[in-house]
C-alpha cells in the first residue's frame, strides 16, 4: 500500500507496483482527488486509510523500502 496526499504519491505507489494506492483528503489531498480517482482509493484521512487497509480482504506481505534522499543545491 502507498498512502499519500499528492498525485505524485499515488504515482510512486503505482511505479513501485504496490497493491494499491490511497489518497487522503487531508493535507493537499483535496486538490488532487479528482485527478487520481481512477488510479487510487480516495479516503478522508489517515485513520480512514488504516481502516481500509485493515479491512482489505486481499492482504499482501509487507515490503520494507529504503529510500535515499539526495539534496541538490
Amino acid at each position: 500500500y502507498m498512502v499519500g496526499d499528492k498525485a505524485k504519491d499515488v504515482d510512486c505507489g503505482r511505479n513501485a507496483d504496490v497493491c494499491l494506492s490511497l489518497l487522503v483528503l487531508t493535507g493537499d489531498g483535496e486538490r488532487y482527488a479528482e485527478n487520481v480517482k481512477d488510479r487510487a482509493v480516495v479516503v478522508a484521512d489517515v485513520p480512514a486509510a488504516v481502516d481500509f487497509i485493515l479491512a482489505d480482504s486481499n492482504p499482501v506481505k509487507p515490503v520494507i523500502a529504503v529510500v535515499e534522499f539526495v539534496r541538490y543545491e
Side-chain angles (χ1 to χ4, degrees):
Y1 298 97
M2 175 61 134
V3 178
D5 68 339
K6 295 179 177 57
K8 67 181 178 181
D9 299 330
V10 171
D11 294 337
C12 180
R14 197 169 176 187
N15 291 337
D17 201 24
V18 298
C19 172
L20 189 61
S21 292
L22 291 90
L23 179 85
V24 294
L25 292 177
T26 53
D28 290 328
E30 286 191 31
R31 182 172 16 165
Y32 299 105
E34 188 65 30
N35 294 333
V36 302
K37 66 181 182 182
D38 62 328
R39 59 189 193 273
V41 173
V42 179
V43 295
D45 50 26
V46 172
V50 171
D51 290 343
F52 180 91
I53 292 167
L54 292 176
D56 190 359
S57 62
N58 296 310
V60 294
K61 292 181 181 179
V63 175
I64 299 172
V66 177
V67 179
E68 179 180 348
F69 293 95
V70 179
R71 183 178 204 170
Y72 295 97
E73 296 186 27

